[in-house]
Amino acid sequence: MSVDVAKQYKTSSNLRTRANLHRRYANTSWFSWAGERMGFSEGCTVADIGCGAGWFWASNQHQLPDGLEVSLVDQSEQMVAEAKAALSKLSAIKQVAGYVNQAEAMPFEDASFDVVIAMHMVYHLSDPDKALDEMRRILKPGGRLVITLNSAADLKQVYELNSRVFDVSPITPSVVMAPPEEVEARLAQRFQSVSKLTYQDIYAIDDVETVFATLTSYPPGNEASDAQQAQLRAEITKRLEEHDGVMHTPHEMLMLIAE
Ligand SMILES: C[S@@+](CC[C@H](N)C(=O)[O-])C[C@H]1O[C@@H](n2cnc3c(N)ncnc32)[C@H](O)[C@@H]1O
């Protein structure tokens, strides 16, 4: 399965649809958990590659150290504009700059940043080796690169339903596009140490339309025929009915920290 990145992420609309599922069912905040582990310190310089709409920063506003200088990078002009506006409102951010750029060729001097983060974006890279070389290049000596990904267990029961209707794998498409072990191996080629942390939650999903909206916000569900849409709704409904109206599924993410 391939995703047209420019089309999928032109605006934050598709991301927002998927965020609804998390907003509705999360028991703890993924962004807060991630924020606590980024290794930010007062006055440090950070590059956020594939920043999206900047929701990570807004969610962490009360736990960020002061004086951060943040450079936001995304291939989407509208995402960069949205993220920049969000960060401009945060008191901990001393300076924010936005760059509409591909991660594979970034407009920064060597050794510019204390921390580089790339959250849920490496599976979209057309040339992962080139982009990881870039992330390594722009880090200061002793700096840290933090990459986040979905694990293969993420929303397992939801993706299994998707595979009943479409010719796709029964696991999250992001893991099919870039298996976490491969990303980890690429990091190990470039950094002295790579560690992996796991974030876990369990969702108790009870609403058909929230799942349907999620699965039809990206390929192939976003181009489904009327018949496929009807079949998808029926599969979700049936699964909920079989489980007394509640489908339990893990929400599991990985954080790779390279130094
Ligand atoms: C799934 S979103 C993640 C957004 C945000 N980091 C988060 O965790 O909420 C992926 C983002 O990466 C951006 N992206 C994908 N490939 C990219 C590339 N090669 N260079 C720059 N940005 C890219 C997309 O435009 C999108 O905003």
Side-chain angles (χ1 to χ4, degrees), residues 5 9 15 31 50-52 74-75 79 101-104 119-121 124-125:
V5 171
Y9 298 109
L15 265 186
F31 279 147
C51 60
D74 203 285
Q75 58 78 38
M79 290 286 200
N101 246 97
Q102 294 293 330
E104 288 83 352
M119 300 185 75
H120 284 73
M121 66 80 66
H124 288 309
L125 293 167

Side-chain angles (χ1 to χ4, degrees), residues 5-6 8-11 15 18 30-31 48-56 73-76 79 99 101-104 117-127 131 148:
V5 171
Q8 171 66 209
Y9 298 109
K10 188 171 193 308
T11 71
L15 265 186
R18 296 194 283 280
W30 152 247
F31 279 147
D48 181 355
I49 318 301
C51 60
W55 297 332
F56 162 74
V73 179
D74 203 285
Q75 58 78 38
S76 157
M79 290 286 200
Y99 301 85
N101 246 97
Q102 294 293 330
E104 288 83 352
I117 69 175
M119 300 185 75
H120 284 73
M121 66 80 66
V122 294
Y123 40 82
H124 288 309
L125 293 167
S126 55
D127 189 339
T148 66

Side-chain angles (χ1 to χ4, degrees), residues 170-214:
I171 63 169
T172 167
S174 66
V175 165
V176 177
M177 291 188 280
E181 317 79 67
E182 280 182 18
V183 178
E184 205 174 341
R186 285 190 155 105
L187 288 175
Q189 289 164 5
R190 294 168 171 82
F191 291 86
Q192 274 173 6
S193 92
V194 180
S195 53
K196 181 166 77 181
L197 304 175
T198 304
Y199 167 87
Q200 286 172 315
D201 194 357
I202 300 276
Y203 286 3
I205 295 176
D206 62 356
D207 181 60
V208 173
E209 287 310 311
T210 307
V211 177
F212 179 82
T214 296

Side-chain angles (χ1 to χ4, degrees), residues 7-19 55 79 213-214 216-218 222:
K7 194 168 155 200
Q8 171 66 209
Y9 298 109
K10 188 171 193 308
T11 71
S12 58
S13 154
N14 290 319
L15 265 186
R16 202 173 288 280
T17 298
R18 296 194 283 280
W55 297 332
M79 290 286 200
T214 296
T216 52
S217 69
Y218 59 85
N222 62 345

Side-chain angles (χ1 to χ4, degrees), residues 130-173:
K130 207 167 168 190
L132 292 178
D133 282 344
E134 278 293 84
M135 293 178 198
R136 173 79 189 78
R137 179 185 70 75
I138 65 175
L139 262 186
K140 290 180 186 171
R144 79 166 21 188
L145 169 62
V146 181
I147 284 179
T148 66
L149 298 163
N150 299 313
S151 91
D154 189 47
L155 302 180
K156 215 158 92 180
Q157 281 71 10
V158 170
Y159 293 115
E160 195 273 322
L161 290 175
N162 211 33
S163 72
R164 291 182 184 195
V165 180
F166 305 106
D167 183 19
V168 292
S169 161
I171 63 169
T172 167

